[in-house]
């Protein structure tokens, strides 16, 4: 085989790879527009979008090095189409707003992972101290544990947050402003839930949603497999992979149904809505798009830098969110790196 034939073969191979990358990238970009039920392949492409974007960058470099200018347009156009998605995890900010100069409602959302199930109350107190430092007005907590939380530290929490409303036992909203009404929302077939509370903020009623959607279940599966290995019991790799895939796909289907329930409940509100919580899902997924609807993603509006809320070295992803109605305006959005949970708390200041 001559050099020219080899050159053409390699070029054809890379062009094929490029076309496949483009197809999968666009499947990921639009995979969140359809329910995962019956469309699992498209839904899964959403989860690997960052890797697909990186792969397109590498292909762009390859075409530029080879001076194949026409072919280089393919990854350039693909990457350009990914800019809206990239904005959900990274935001440039050359002029960060000084939130202390503007008045507004400061809201925080934090999955506290049951305060580590410790009973001394130390974690709950330190979290409260952080909320004081951040001057939080409304705090939405998921995976709340009343033993380490408000019942054990009732006076200290209620001293700063005079008003509170509990949904399911692991769901709570604390507020410095009066709560006029509330609703508990339980999901079928899972222990996850949501709630909302109507809060009177200086004469203006705001409906605050606190939601916690179904998890993937992968960590539980891996934990069980790890325990079996410690006990020197054989782990069937095929069964483990099937269990991981089954939990993942089942979780996606549960979350999609829960997202629809939230969207319908939100649509019925005649009051401005602020919605926050642990979605257990990535941006641009069906869950993200369904819950967001015509609301504003706070991070895209006024965040800066990389935003990831799941505290993991191997898979730092954004799965916690704060959205708000278009009638409201975001002033600032950020996270703090507290280490009491596998999540980071997120904060947003909203001008009313």
């Amino acid at each position: 085989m001559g050099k020219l034939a080899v050159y053409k073969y390699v070029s054809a191979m890379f062009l094929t790879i490029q076309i496949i990358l483009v197809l999968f990238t666009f499947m990921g970009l639009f995979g969140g527009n359809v329910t995962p039920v019956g469309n699992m392949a498209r839904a899964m492409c959403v989860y690997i979008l960052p890797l697909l974007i990186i792969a397109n960058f590498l292909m762009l470099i390859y075409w530029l090095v080879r001076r194949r200018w026409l072919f280089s347009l393919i990854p350039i156009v693909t990457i350009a189409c990914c800019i809206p998605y990239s904005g959900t995890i990274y935001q440039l900010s050359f002029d960060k707003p000084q939130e202390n100069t503007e008045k507004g409602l400061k809201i925080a959302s934090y999955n506290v992972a049951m305060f580590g199930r410790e009973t001394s109350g130390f974690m709950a107190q330190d979290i409260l101290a952080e909320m004081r430092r951040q001057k939080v007005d409304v705090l939405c907590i998921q995976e709340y544990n009343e033993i380490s939380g408000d019942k054990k530290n009732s006076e200290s929490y209620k001293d700063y947050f005079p008003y509170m409303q509990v949904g399911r036992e692991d769901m709570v909203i604390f507020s410095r402003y009066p709560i006029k009404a509330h609703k508990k929302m339980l999901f079928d077939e899972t222990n996850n839930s949501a709630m909302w509370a109507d809060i009177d903020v200086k004469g203006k009623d705001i409906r605050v949603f606190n939601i916690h959607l179904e998890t993937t279940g992968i960590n539980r599966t891996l934990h069980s497999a790890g325990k079996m290995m410690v006990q020197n019991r054989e782990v069937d790799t095929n069964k483990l992979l099937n269990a991981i895939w089954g939990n993942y796909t089942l979780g996606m289907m549960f979350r999609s149904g829960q997202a629809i329930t939230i969207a319908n409940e939100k649509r019925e509100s005649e009051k401005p809505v602020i919605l926050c919580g642990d979605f257990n899902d990535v941006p641009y997924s069906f869950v993200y798009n369904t819950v967001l609807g015509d609301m504003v993603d706070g991070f895209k509006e006024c965040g800066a830098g990389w935003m990831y809320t799941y505290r993991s070295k191997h898979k730092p992803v954004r799965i916690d969110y704060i959205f708000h109605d278009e009638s409201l305006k975001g002033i600032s959005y950020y996270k703090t790196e507290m280490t009491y949970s596998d999540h980071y708390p997120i904060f947003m200041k909203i001008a009313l």
Side-chain angles (χ1 to χ4, degrees):
M1 185 183 291
K3 288 185 178 180
L4 181 60
V6 172
Y7 179 81
K8 289 183 176 180
Y9 174 78
V10 172
S11 295
M13 181 182 67
F14 274 91
L15 181 59
T16 302
I17 293 172
Q18 178 68 80
I19 293 171
I20 293 172
L21 270 177
V22 170
L23 291 175
F24 277 95
T25 302
F26 279 96
M27 280 179 65
L29 285 174
F30 296 100
N33 294 336
V34 295
T35 174
V37 181
N39 299 282
M40 199 57 66
R42 291 178 64 180
M44 290 301 295
C45 285
V46 180
Y47 290 82
I48 60 172
L49 256 178
L51 298 178
L52 293 171
I53 294 172
I54 293 171
N56 277 285
F57 267 112
L58 295 176
M59 291 300 300
L60 174 60
I61 294 170
Y62 171 79
W63 294 126
L64 293 176
V65 170
R66 295 290 299 272
R67 297 185 179 182
R68 303 301 296 269
W69 314 121
L70 187 61
F71 289 164
S72 68
L73 290 175
I74 301 174
I76 288 174
V77 171
T78 304
I79 293 168
C81 292
C82 294
I83 290 175
Y85 166 78
S86 301
T88 63
I89 55 178
Y90 181 80
Q91 284 289 322
L92 289 170
S93 180
F94 301 104
D95 184 24
K96 288 187 68 176
Q98 298 296 317
E99 71 163 41
N100 291 333
T101 64
E102 298 188 49
K103 294 182 179 180
L105 181 75
K106 188 74 167 286
I107 188 164
S109 177
Y110 193 16
N111 182 323
V112 298
M114 301 292 181
F115 299 104
R117 299 188 184 277
E118 59 91 29
T119 57
S120 70
F122 168 78
M123 290 185 184
Q125 286 299 299
D126 208 29
I127 290 170
L128 174 60
E130 179 66 13
M131 298 305 150
R132 287 177 179 269
R133 282 192 293 270
Q134 300 295 337
K135 298 180 180 179
V136 171
D137 297 307
V138 177
L139 170 61
C140 296
I141 291 182
Q142 307 89 40
E143 293 195 32
Y144 178 72
N145 183 349
E146 63 183 15
I147 297 175
S148 298
D150 181 68
K151 279 196 174 179
K152 189 172 183 64
N153 308 283
S154 57
E155 296 305 318
S156 55
Y157 261 70
K158 289 180 180 177
D159 178 56
Y160 185 73
F161 294 109
Y163 309 95
M164 69 172 289
Q165 194 56 245
V166 179
R168 184 169 262 171
E169 50 277 354
D170 64 343
M171 177 79 62
V172 63
I173 296 177
F174 291 103
S175 175
R176 291 176 58 78
Y177 295 103
I179 295 176
K180 300 172 66 174
H182 70 280
K183 181 178 179 179
K184 183 187 305 184
M185 301 173 62
L186 306 181
F187 300 132
D188 295 334
E189 300 179 356
T190 77
N191 292 325
N192 296 77
S193 65
M195 65 180 296
W196 57 253
D198 288 341
I199 301 177
D200 182 355
V201 184
K202 298 178 180 179
K204 183 179 181 68
D205 286 348
I206 303 292
R207 179 161 294 181
V208 175
F209 279 76
N210 183 14
I211 70 176
H212 184 205
L213 304 185
E214 178 69 10
T215 186
T216 61
I218 290 179
N219 289 338
R220 288 195 301 268
T221 304
L222 293 176
H223 180 69
S224 299
K227 286 178 65 177
M228 291 178 66
M229 293 175 68
V230 169
Q231 297 168 1
N232 294 320
R233 295 169 59 188
E234 185 177 347
V235 178
D236 189 319
T237 304
N238 289 331
K239 287 184 178 179
L240 177 61
L241 292 175
N242 288 334
I244 291 174
W245 175 255
N247 282 329
Y248 208 83
T249 55
L250 193 62
M252 290 173 68
M253 289 187 286
F254 278 143
R255 285 194 301 277
S256 64
Q258 294 165 359
I260 293 171
T261 300
I262 295 294
N264 290 335
E265 184 73 23
K266 180 189 68 174
R267 199 174 294 116
E268 294 178 0
S269 174
E270 298 179 354
K271 303 175 178 64
V273 169
I274 299 173
L275 187 148
C276 59
D278 174 10
F279 291 16
N280 274 310
D281 222 321
V282 297
Y284 258 59
S285 64
F286 177 80
V287 167
Y288 173 90
N289 289 338
T290 301
V291 176
L292 179 64
D294 58 359
M295 299 181 79
V296 178
D297 182 335
F299 173 70
K300 291 184 68 176
E301 179 185 27
C302 54
W306 291 104
M307 177 53 66
Y308 56 93
T309 62
Y310 185 70
R311 199 171 64 85
S312 169
K313 293 181 180 179
H314 305 293
K315 47 181 178 180
V317 292
R318 183 182 179 215
I319 58 176
D320 302 84
Y321 305 87
I322 300 177
F323 300 156
H324 66 78
D325 272 357
E326 292 178 332
S327 61
L328 307 175
K329 177 187 176 184
I331 299 172
S332 65
Y333 190 109
Y334 60 95
K335 73 175 187 293
T336 59
E337 297 192 355
M338 296 193 77
T339 58
Y340 292 139
S341 169
D342 54 353
H343 292 249
Y344 291 119
I346 52 175
F347 302 84
M348 185 174 188
K349 191 167 188 178
I350 300 174
L352 303 180

